[in-house]
Amino acid sequence: MAIIFINDKKYHVNASDNLLHACLSLGFDIPYFCWHPILGSIGSCRQCMVKQYDNCEDKVGRLVISCMTPVLNGSVISIHDSESVEFRKGIIELLMTNHPHDCPICEEGGSCHLQDMTVITGHNKRRYRFLKRTHKNQYLGPFVGHEMNRCISCYRCVRYYKDYADGTDFGVYGTSNNIYFGRLEEGALESEFSGNLVEVCPTGVFTDKIQSEKYSRKWDLQYAPSICQHCCVGCNISAGEKYGEICKVENRYHENINRYFLCDLGRFGYSYSNLEDRPKYSVFRNENKTKILKNLQNSFTLIEKLLLDSSQVIGIGSNRASLESNYALQKLVGKKNFSTGMLQKELDCTSLIISILKSGGIYVPTLKEIENYDVIFILGEDVTQTSPMIALSIRQAIKEKSKSISFSKNIPVWNSLAVKNASQGVKNRLFIINTYATKLDDISEKSCIFSINSQVQLGFKISHHIDKDSPGIDNSSDSNTKIVELISCALLSSKNPLIISGTHSNSVELIQSTYNIAKSLKNRKKNVGLIFLTSNSNSLGIGLLDGMSLEKVSEKILKNKCDFLIILENDIYRYFSKFYMSKLLKIVKNVLVIDHLNTDTMKIGKISLPSTNCFESSGTVVNYEGRAQRFFQVYDPKFYCNDIHTLDSWMWLHLIRCKLYKKSQTWYKLDDVIHSLSSEKFDFRNLKFVAPDASFRVFGQKLARSPHRSSGRTSVRANINVHERSQPKDQNSMFSFSMEGCQQFYKYSSYIPFSWTPGWNSIQSLNKFSRNIDGKLPFWNSGKHLFEHGTGKLIPWFNYCSVKNESNDSYCIFPYYALFGSEPLSKLSPKISENISIFSGIMNKNDAKILSIRSGSKIEFECFNTLFTVTIFVSSKIKSKHLGLLLGHYDLPISLSGKKIVDLRKITV
Ligand code: SF4
Ligand code: SF4
Ligand code: FES
């Protein structure tokens, strides 16, 4: 700590910060542009000038760039000294000479850092009377708009895109007063993290094109703190709604997870929530007749009758549904009859991961902590496609070495250009083995393409090489010895090695070998971290609830041991072929489906019940660390349409249970479900500490969901009724609908619906939330680990079980993943679905040559009595006789994974 004097008062600040960081942390309003808590300082805009004095006697002082000036014990500075005030005013006036005065038509207006800084500096009169510099805008793809005339040349965008996210297709061009930030030529931005430009840019140069389609000013939206549902990372988001549609998702700060950024899937993948054909009513189908059940009571009576007529009820849960809804299903059908909705291989992988997390004795780092690991080894995961923000953290970990070098040269880590120059590009080490080339190969020291079996063998060999107690492989050939030595030595030479694998290869053995490597490193006294990635936002949650696999369910159906199937928020057609599904459906008498999407499964339900989605309900999901996090309802769909039938899935299931067992209702609000689950199951005992419950109040008030300037509230329902209806009451959370309630939520809770503090309307306001920027928020950090990891004893070694060698007579199908297309929710969003690759398969170029096919050719093969068609991408970076398929999409069921195909034909037109 250091003591500094600001405006004649004494303050204790962090000695490693710069003056700007320290002053903002103390709550002072110093305007800035180019500084960013993650990107550091480059001192290019000069907006953050303050006056520094030699000591308390010095009355002259000198202007210093606060973001480039380290905090020194005894520093004396003045923020409000007239010279620095005038200087800052002058800087913004200069910046504004070329900036168009187009706030009324700029989408950033009302949430613009440039607007806020202009007001803070007091610049309010335009003296410049000449022509402004103008630029041509570029098409940057379907998600990010470009309006270059608004640029103030702060360089944040290029520093983020190129230096932080390692993007290669965006840069800065031109000179002096004519600097241009964009691509060399028009085209879609290639980075999976391009959407962050919208938030990183302090002006309206980069805009969110998805939001533009349903544009509303920031203050006119209704928000709630939420959790991204598109992968197992669980990034914190803030979602905004108007007129019953989600129209914006932005980053919500969590110090240990996403901090200031999101991936494009999380930011742009939400429009599935706004689809016109969303189920809204209960539907009854009988012998090709479809009847809408207008009366809710009729639905319950019918369901009760059908259930009473059935003797064997099975419930299929979902790894994309909340913990509470899955639990309600388990309560209804009983533990024995509950399925996790996963295929056996994935379930086995998930269960193994859970037992390792619970008692494996190896630490699981957060996204922020990933950046502290110096050697990273990834087995069988294309992390950028399956858990993108982890890939972004890995990119920072590889660059982190430059910071330690600079530190040894007394260069503060926030001095980003000096750090870059001093370190001369030295990097930490990354090794990847996967079935095909991954998007992190550009920064890896060695990337190898291996079959899954070879990856398993390599894993066992590496762990044995590190620690001879670890089981090796008997009679193994000496192939890959050099790679084994290279990776083992790198891991052994590191201080903090990190091993990453997951369920995406569908291999229990791969997870076992990964654990062995981590254990062998721990035995060698390394500070090892271990991460397992899972397939969906709540895979660990449903895994902890425990249930049978989908294959077990189908087995029961085929043995006539199930005559009533309840399917919760899960599209079973993603897993099984249409042929197999129709065979099963012929046997089951009744299928009840609850979902918020009109999936193929929803369309075959004898009864389909419409549920709310994650923006219309509150609930809990568990991320890859075992961290339970709560998402909150953004709006009440019934406010806009009173007669729709949508209910939270847990409520549907609870009411059905009450009706069936003639019990009175006991769950009225989410806290009732949470209370029941946490008291019934030991693993969920901490669930009630994940977030404040619905009774949480600040001075007797709930927390407001809308900014206090929210306008037009009386007109949002004017098309229905001109009389203003009272706002709905939220039983399930501490938030009130609309703008009533506490607006200073950032002082009392880390569950922040939207970013705002007085005078700071843009997302930069979050730098004012906490006493330590980029540190903890003041209260209730979002989420809670369900179990401790990294403590306790290590579990026994896993032994290698030999697997059959691949045959050269057939093609082996394995899953390959794409950011857009692999995940079930986002692909229904129109803009995402338009951007899913046309290639549904990937094949080795030598195999393609034999079949005379090129990229874009179609092939076909038969499996499960079904003919599958695949559009092929030809690559040299995939093993021969391997066929990677975008499973779960393009009618390619996930159960194809691991199948051997002998007859694979080119389709000739
Ligand atoms: S485009 Fe935005 S972020 Fe980039 S330099 Fe201009 S103002 Fe700064
Ligand atoms: S990394 Fe995953 S959780 Fe985070 S924003 Fe992307 S899809 Fe969402
Ligand atoms: S913020 Fe300090 S120079 Fe730009």
mmCIF file with all atom_site columns, all heavy atoms in Angstrom, residues 451-462:
data_model
loop_
_atom_site.group_PDB
_atom_site.id
_atom_site.type_symbol
_atom_site.label_atom_id
_atom_site.label_alt_id
_atom_site.label_comp_id
_atom_site.label_asym_id
_atom_site.label_entity_id
_atom_site.label_seq_id
_atom_site.pdbx_PDB_ins_code
_atom_site.Cartn_x
_atom_site.Cartn_y
_atom_site.Cartn_z
_atom_site.occupancy
_atom_site.B_iso_or_equiv
_atom_site.pdbx_formal_charge
_atom_site.auth_seq_id
_atom_site.auth_comp_id
_atom_site.auth_asym_id
_atom_site.auth_atom_id
_atom_site.pdbx_PDB_model_num
ATOM 1  N N   . SER A 1 451 ? -5.811  -39.713 -33.206 1.00 0.00 ? 451 SER A N   1
ATOM 2  C CA  . SER A 1 451 ? -7.128  -40.292 -32.929 1.00 0.00 ? 451 SER A CA  1
ATOM 3  C C   . SER A 1 451 ? -7.359  -40.242 -31.420 1.00 0.00 ? 451 SER A C   1
ATOM 4  O O   . SER A 1 451 ? -6.407  -40.081 -30.646 1.00 0.00 ? 451 SER A O   1
ATOM 5  C CB  . SER A 1 451 ? -7.175  -41.743 -33.406 1.00 0.00 ? 451 SER A CB  1
ATOM 6  O OG  . SER A 1 451 ? -6.303  -42.500 -32.596 1.00 0.00 ? 451 SER A OG  1
ATOM 7  N N   . ILE A 1 452 ? -8.620  -40.429 -31.024 1.00 0.00 ? 452 ILE A N   1
ATOM 8  C CA  . ILE A 1 452 ? -8.902  -40.353 -29.582 1.00 0.00 ? 452 ILE A CA  1
ATOM 9  C C   . ILE A 1 452 ? -8.140  -41.445 -28.825 1.00 0.00 ? 452 ILE A C   1
ATOM 10 O O   . ILE A 1 452 ? -7.563  -41.205 -27.763 1.00 0.00 ? 452 ILE A O   1
ATOM 11 C CB  . ILE A 1 452 ? -10.422 -40.419 -29.331 1.00 0.00 ? 452 ILE A CB  1
ATOM 12 C CG1 . ILE A 1 452 ? -11.065 -39.136 -29.878 1.00 0.00 ? 452 ILE A CG1 1
ATOM 13 C CG2 . ILE A 1 452 ? -10.733 -40.531 -27.831 1.00 0.00 ? 452 ILE A CG2 1
ATOM 14 C CD1 . ILE A 1 452 ? -12.554 -39.130 -29.974 1.00 0.00 ? 452 ILE A CD1 1
ATOM 15 N N   . ASN A 1 453 ? -8.088  -42.637 -29.403 1.00 0.00 ? 453 ASN A N   1
ATOM 16 C CA  . ASN A 1 453 ? -7.355  -43.725 -28.735 1.00 0.00 ? 453 ASN A CA  1
ATOM 17 C C   . ASN A 1 453 ? -5.886  -43.368 -28.547 1.00 0.00 ? 453 ASN A C   1
ATOM 18 O O   . ASN A 1 453 ? -5.293  -43.630 -27.495 1.00 0.00 ? 453 ASN A O   1
ATOM 19 C CB  . ASN A 1 453 ? -7.457  -45.020 -29.551 1.00 0.00 ? 453 ASN A CB  1
ATOM 20 C CG  . ASN A 1 453 ? -8.856  -45.586 -29.476 1.00 0.00 ? 453 ASN A CG  1
ATOM 21 O OD1 . ASN A 1 453 ? -9.654  -45.133 -28.660 1.00 0.00 ? 453 ASN A OD1 1
ATOM 22 N ND2 . ASN A 1 453 ? -9.163  -46.539 -30.342 1.00 0.00 ? 453 ASN A ND2 1
ATOM 23 N N   . SER A 1 454 ? -5.298  -42.767 -29.579 1.00 0.00 ? 454 SER A N   1
ATOM 24 C CA  . SER A 1 454 ? -3.880  -42.393 -29.453 1.00 0.00 ? 454 SER A CA  1
ATOM 25 C C   . SER A 1 454 ? -3.706  -41.290 -28.429 1.00 0.00 ? 454 SER A C   1
ATOM 26 O O   . SER A 1 454 ? -2.693  -41.238 -27.733 1.00 0.00 ? 454 SER A O   1
ATOM 27 C CB  . SER A 1 454 ? -3.323  -41.911 -30.794 1.00 0.00 ? 454 SER A CB  1
ATOM 28 O OG  . SER A 1 454 ? -3.564  -42.863 -31.775 1.00 0.00 ? 454 SER A OG  1
ATOM 29 N N   . GLN A 1 455 ? -4.706  -40.412 -28.327 1.00 0.00 ? 455 GLN A N   1
ATOM 30 C CA  . GLN A 1 455 ? -4.621  -39.350 -27.302 1.00 0.00 ? 455 GLN A CA  1
ATOM 31 C C   . GLN A 1 455 ? -4.608  -39.968 -25.911 1.00 0.00 ? 455 GLN A C   1
ATOM 32 O O   . GLN A 1 455 ? -3.859  -39.553 -25.031 1.00 0.00 ? 455 GLN A O   1
ATOM 33 C CB  . GLN A 1 455 ? -5.816  -38.405 -27.413 1.00 0.00 ? 455 GLN A CB  1
ATOM 34 C CG  . GLN A 1 455 ? -5.803  -37.534 -28.656 1.00 0.00 ? 455 GLN A CG  1
ATOM 35 C CD  . GLN A 1 455 ? -7.091  -36.734 -28.781 1.00 0.00 ? 455 GLN A CD  1
ATOM 36 O OE1 . GLN A 1 455 ? -7.663  -36.297 -27.807 1.00 0.00 ? 455 GLN A OE1 1
ATOM 37 N NE2 . GLN A 1 455 ? -7.547  -36.547 -30.001 1.00 0.00 ? 455 GLN A NE2 1
ATOM 38 N N   . VAL A 1 456 ? -5.464  -40.994 -25.740 1.00 0.00 ? 456 VAL A N   1
ATOM 39 C CA  . VAL A 1 456 ? -5.526  -41.668 -24.438 1.00 0.00 ? 456 VAL A CA  1
ATOM 40 C C   . VAL A 1 456 ? -4.164  -42.275 -24.128 1.00 0.00 ? 456 VAL A C   1
ATOM 41 O O   . VAL A 1 456 ? -3.599  -42.089 -23.035 1.00 0.00 ? 456 VAL A O   1
ATOM 42 C CB  . VAL A 1 456 ? -6.614  -42.768 -24.452 1.00 0.00 ? 456 VAL A CB  1
ATOM 43 C CG1 . VAL A 1 456 ? -6.588  -43.567 -23.153 1.00 0.00 ? 456 VAL A CG1 1
ATOM 44 C CG2 . VAL A 1 456 ? -7.995  -42.151 -24.672 1.00 0.00 ? 456 VAL A CG2 1
ATOM 45 N N   . GLN A 1 457 ? -3.609  -42.987 -25.105 1.00 0.00 ? 457 GLN A N   1
ATOM 46 C CA  . GLN A 1 457 ? -2.308  -43.642 -24.892 1.00 0.00 ? 457 GLN A CA  1
ATOM 47 C C   . GLN A 1 457 ? -1.238  -42.612 -24.556 1.00 0.00 ? 457 GLN A C   1
ATOM 48 O O   . GLN A 1 457 ? -0.442  -42.797 -23.631 1.00 0.00 ? 457 GLN A O   1
ATOM 49 C CB  . GLN A 1 457 ? -1.913  -44.409 -26.146 1.00 0.00 ? 457 GLN A CB  1
ATOM 50 C CG  . GLN A 1 457 ? -2.792  -45.624 -26.374 1.00 0.00 ? 457 GLN A CG  1
ATOM 51 C CD  . GLN A 1 457 ? -2.342  -46.455 -27.560 1.00 0.00 ? 457 GLN A CD  1
ATOM 52 O OE1 . GLN A 1 457 ? -1.396  -46.099 -28.255 1.00 0.00 ? 457 GLN A OE1 1
ATOM 53 N NE2 . GLN A 1 457 ? -3.024  -47.546 -27.807 1.00 0.00 ? 457 GLN A NE2 1
ATOM 54 N N   . LEU A 1 458 ? -1.256  -41.521 -25.317 1.00 0.00 ? 458 LEU A N   1
ATOM 55 C CA  . LEU A 1 458 ? -0.267  -40.474 -25.084 1.00 0.00 ? 458 LEU A CA  1
ATOM 56 C C   . LEU A 1 458 ? -0.400  -39.917 -23.663 1.00 0.00 ? 458 LEU A C   1
ATOM 57 O O   . LEU A 1 458 ? 0.599   -39.699 -22.973 1.00 0.00 ? 458 LEU A O   1
ATOM 58 C CB  . LEU A 1 458 ? -0.449  -39.348 -26.105 1.00 0.00 ? 458 LEU A CB  1
ATOM 59 C CG  . LEU A 1 458 ? 0.753   -38.442 -26.245 1.00 0.00 ? 458 LEU A CG  1
ATOM 60 C CD1 . LEU A 1 458 ? 1.734   -39.001 -27.267 1.00 0.00 ? 458 LEU A CD1 1
ATOM 61 C CD2 . LEU A 1 458 ? 0.325   -37.048 -26.677 1.00 0.00 ? 458 LEU A CD2 1
ATOM 62 N N   . GLY A 1 459 ? -1.649  -39.735 -23.236 1.00 0.00 ? 459 GLY A N   1
ATOM 63 C CA  . GLY A 1 459 ? -1.893  -39.229 -21.883 1.00 0.00 ? 459 GLY A CA  1
ATOM 64 C C   . GLY A 1 459 ? -1.293  -40.152 -20.836 1.00 0.00 ? 459 GLY A C   1
ATOM 65 O O   . GLY A 1 459 ? -0.614  -39.700 -19.897 1.00 0.00 ? 459 GLY A O   1
ATOM 66 N N   . PHE A 1 460 ? -1.545  -41.458 -20.989 1.00 0.00 ? 460 PHE A N   1
ATOM 67 C CA  . PHE A 1 460 ? -0.997  -42.416 -20.012 1.00 0.00 ? 460 PHE A CA  1
ATOM 68 C C   . PHE A 1 460 ? 0.526   -42.422 -20.052 1.00 0.00 ? 460 PHE A C   1
ATOM 69 O O   . PHE A 1 460 ? 1.198   -42.519 -19.014 1.00 0.00 ? 460 PHE A O   1
ATOM 70 C CB  . PHE A 1 460 ? -1.562  -43.821 -20.275 1.00 0.00 ? 460 PHE A CB  1
ATOM 71 C CG  . PHE A 1 460 ? -2.889  -44.031 -19.610 1.00 0.00 ? 460 PHE A CG  1
ATOM 72 C CD1 . PHE A 1 460 ? -4.075  -43.838 -20.307 1.00 0.00 ? 460 PHE A CD1 1
ATOM 73 C CD2 . PHE A 1 460 ? -2.964  -44.406 -18.272 1.00 0.00 ? 460 PHE A CD2 1
ATOM 74 C CE1 . PHE A 1 460 ? -5.304  -44.012 -19.690 1.00 0.00 ? 460 PHE A CE1 1
ATOM 75 C CE2 . PHE A 1 460 ? -4.196  -44.577 -17.642 1.00 0.00 ? 460 PHE A CE2 1
ATOM 76 C CZ  . PHE A 1 460 ? -5.366  -44.381 -18.354 1.00 0.00 ? 460 PHE A CZ  1
ATOM 77 N N   . LYS A 1 461 ? 1.087   -42.314 -21.260 1.00 0.00 ? 461 LYS A N   1
ATOM 78 C CA  . LYS A 1 461 ? 2.552   -42.333 -21.365 1.00 0.00 ? 461 LYS A CA  1
ATOM 79 C C   . LYS A 1 461 ? 3.151   -41.096 -20.701 1.00 0.00 ? 461 LYS A C   1
ATOM 80 O O   . LYS A 1 461 ? 4.169   -41.182 -20.014 1.00 0.00 ? 461 LYS A O   1
ATOM 81 C CB  . LYS A 1 461 ? 2.968   -42.356 -22.843 1.00 0.00 ? 461 LYS A CB  1
ATOM 82 C CG  . LYS A 1 461 ? 2.783   -43.711 -23.515 1.00 0.00 ? 461 LYS A CG  1
ATOM 83 C CD  . LYS A 1 461 ? 3.252   -43.623 -24.941 1.00 0.00 ? 461 LYS A CD  1
ATOM 84 C CE  . LYS A 1 461 ? 2.879   -44.858 -25.733 1.00 0.00 ? 461 LYS A CE  1
ATOM 85 N NZ  . LYS A 1 461 ? 3.176   -44.717 -27.146 1.00 0.00 ? 461 LYS A NZ  1
ATOM 86 N N   . ILE A 1 462 ? 2.506   -39.952 -20.893 1.00 0.00 ? 462 ILE A N   1
ATOM 87 C CA  . ILE A 1 462 ? 3.043   -38.717 -20.311 1.00 0.00 ? 462 ILE A CA  1
ATOM 88 C C   . ILE A 1 462 ? 2.988   -38.781 -18.786 1.00 0.00 ? 462 ILE A C   1
ATOM 89 O O   . ILE A 1 462 ? 3.964   -38.454 -18.103 1.00 0.00 ? 462 ILE A O   1
ATOM 90 C CB  . ILE A 1 462 ? 2.277   -37.485 -20.852 1.00 0.00 ? 462 ILE A CB  1
ATOM 91 C CG1 . ILE A 1 462 ? 2.644   -37.256 -22.313 1.00 0.00 ? 462 ILE A CG1 1
ATOM 92 C CG2 . ILE A 1 462 ? 2.569   -36.227 -20.032 1.00 0.00 ? 462 ILE A CG2 1
ATOM 93 C CD1 . ILE A 1 462 ? 1.837   -36.192 -23.022 1.00 0.00 ? 462 ILE A CD1 1
#
